[in-house]
Amino acid sequence: NDKLFNIPIANLTLPWQKGHARAAANCWSEDDFLASFSNFNYWPQHKELNTIYWRGLEEHLRTEAKRYKRVFITSGAIFTDKQNKLAVDYDGRALIPHSFYKLAFYEKDDDTLKFSSWIMENNDTVQPYNKCLVTLIELENRTGKLFLNHHI
């Protein structure tokens, strides 16, 4: 859909602001840090979600990462609600994502994996990350993506 990228993200007005897909705080080098400010790494996020709840989830994941051998994280935008209705239209120029997701795979010292996934609504609703946990099946249903081959 052309409307996804027709609005210069710098022109967003409250309550919307630039939310990082990959947090700048997760970068390991100066080049990596600077690249995190690319327009390809931004989503229009509600201010409350971006500065409080999404940030809280990112801080939680940084803490969790210290407990495991390796951590793999993916995140993305969801442009439909639970009833598959299209997201909010921003002044006819862009689609504001309805929700966002994160999926973390944790590799343990014994090489086994565990995972956690979250969906957070793109609004000012109180959303502590521990209340936004969803099953992998629910995440796949909401995003239309297959993250893990369930037939293994």
Side-chain angles (χ1 to χ4, degrees):
N1 188 331
D2 290 340
K3 291 171 87 176
L4 291 179
F5 302 106
N6 282 349
I7 183 171
I9 200 139
N11 294 341
L12 287 174
T13 57
L14 287 176
W16 311 111
Q17 59 181 218
K18 294 187 271 188
H20 281 84
R22 178 175 182 227
N26 293 347
C27 298
W28 294 99
S29 70
E30 184 177 348
D31 287 343
D32 197 24
F33 176 79
L34 293 173
S36 77
F37 289 92
S38 158
N39 281 341
F40 293 106
N41 192 43
Y42 288 132
W43 294 314
Q45 274 188 335
H46 193 283
K47 179 183 176 197
E48 300 295 317
L49 174 66
N50 186 34
T51 60
I52 301 171
Y53 306 110
W54 193 254
R55 183 180 189 169
L57 175 56
E58 289 171 337
E59 290 170 356
H60 166 72
L61 289 169
R62 279 191 286 279
T63 300
E64 283 290 287
K66 295 173 186 172
R67 299 177 44 215
Y68 295 92
K69 184 175 171 181
R70 288 191 289 187
V71 178
F72 305 91
I73 299 171
T74 186
S75 57
I78 303 172
F79 287 93
T80 55
D81 65 11
K82 290 179 184 176
Q83 288 75 39
N84 210 29
K85 293 180 185 169
L86 197 56
V88 176
D89 182 45
Y90 182 79
D91 196 24
R93 298 179 292 167
L95 292 177
I96 303 294
H98 181 273
S99 309
F100 297 98
Y101 71 87
K102 277 198 187 283
L103 171 60
F105 288 94
Y106 306 96
E107 183 179 355
K108 299 178 185 181
D109 287 334
D110 65 0
D111 294 332
T112 60
L113 288 177
K114 95 168 203 176
F115 61 87
S116 298
S117 53
W118 300 262
I119 294 177
M120 293 183 154
E121 306 291 317
N122 194 15
N123 57 38
D124 62 354
T125 304
V126 175
Q127 305 179 73
Y129 64 84
N130 60 331
K131 301 291 186 193
C132 297
L133 281 163
V134 295
T135 67
L136 185 59
I137 299 295
E138 184 178 351
L139 179 63
E140 290 176 337
N141 287 341
R142 285 286 308 277
T143 63
K145 298 178 183 194
L146 181 65
F147 293 104
L148 187 66
N149 185 344
H150 301 280
H151 303 289
I152 295 178

